Amino acid sequence: MSERLQPGDVAPAFTLPDADGNEVSLSDHKGRKVIVYFYPAALTPGCTKQACDFTDNLDLLADAGYDVIGISPDSPEKLGKFREKESLKVTLLADPEKTVLDAYGAFGEKKNYGKTYLGVIRSTIVVDEEGKVAHAFYNVRATGHVAKIIKDLGI
């Protein structure tokens, strides 16, 4: 379990496959602000709500200079089904080894109904044009999170 990122930290570089199996790197977005959000599993109610909220606000975020990338431990195939079923427009990346989740502090100990286990911590990291962390939100709620980010970023 790695440390949580703080504003000012250099965002860990990554290259992961998207829903079509194409490699996508954080460096592909250099010069743009990037919202990188981590979610537990495609095709689940909370994650669907969050992905649909990002898709619904994608034009607003893009006009403000933000790209959006969602990362989960799902396979590219499952991400493809998720994208098609929900008509998602956000870039979805697969991290089955959880290396990027771990590097961003989005994988670790969780508690649910009194049990402690390892899992994905729903998190959103905003990376600036220079590749540094501008904002780091951990343990966020799926519902209402996108509206809160838009408000927090002053969009």
Side-chain angles (χ1 to χ4, degrees), residues 53-67:
D53 282 353
F54 271 119
T55 293
D56 292 346
N57 288 285
L58 206 53
D59 289 342
L60 175 72
L61 291 165
D63 290 347
Y66 290 90
D67 295 336

Side-chain angles (χ1 to χ4, degrees), residues 14-37:
F14 62 80
T15 300
L16 292 170
D18 68 8
D20 299 313
N22 300 314
E23 301 268 295
V24 175
S25 299
L26 180 61
S27 60
D28 297 342
H29 298 269
K30 192 143 181 67
R32 300 233 346 132
K33 295 174 271 194
V34 186
I35 295 169
V36 184
Y37 78 97

Side-chain angles (χ1 to χ4, degrees), residues 28-148:
D28 297 342
H29 298 269
K30 192 143 181 67
R32 300 233 346 132
K33 295 174 271 194
V34 186
I35 295 169
V36 184
Y37 78 97
F38 298 92
Y39 62 99
L43 301 166
T44 58
C47 298
T48 298
K49 172 81 179 116
Q50 189 178 21
C52 288
D53 282 353
F54 271 119
T55 293
D56 292 346
N57 288 285
L58 206 53
D59 289 342
L60 175 72
L61 291 165
D63 290 347
Y66 290 90
D67 295 336
V68 179
I69 297 173
I71 299 177
S72 74
D74 297 305
S75 68
E77 296 77 25
K78 187 171 180 188
L79 296 180
K81 288 181 185 140
F82 187 34
R83 182 184 61 196
E84 300 312 312
K85 182 174 189 278
E86 302 298 337
S87 302
L88 301 174
K89 304 245 181 316
V90 294
T91 300
L92 300 174
L93 302 182
D95 184 19
E97 304 298 317
K98 302 175 187 74
T99 49
V100 177
L101 284 153
D102 198 45
Y104 276 76
F107 187 80
E109 213 170 78
K110 296 173 70 167
K111 287 187 188 334
N112 198 11
Y113 300 114
K115 291 195 183 335
T116 302
Y117 60 97
L118 290 177
V120 175
I121 299 162
R122 193 181 300 275
S123 311
T124 301
I125 309 299
V126 181
V127 180
D128 69 15
E129 300 91 334
E130 306 299 313
K132 288 201 162 67
V133 175
H135 301 276
F137 306 100
Y138 289 96
N139 293 312
V140 301
R141 299 221 170 270
T143 304
H145 177 59
V146 175
K148 183 178 179 340

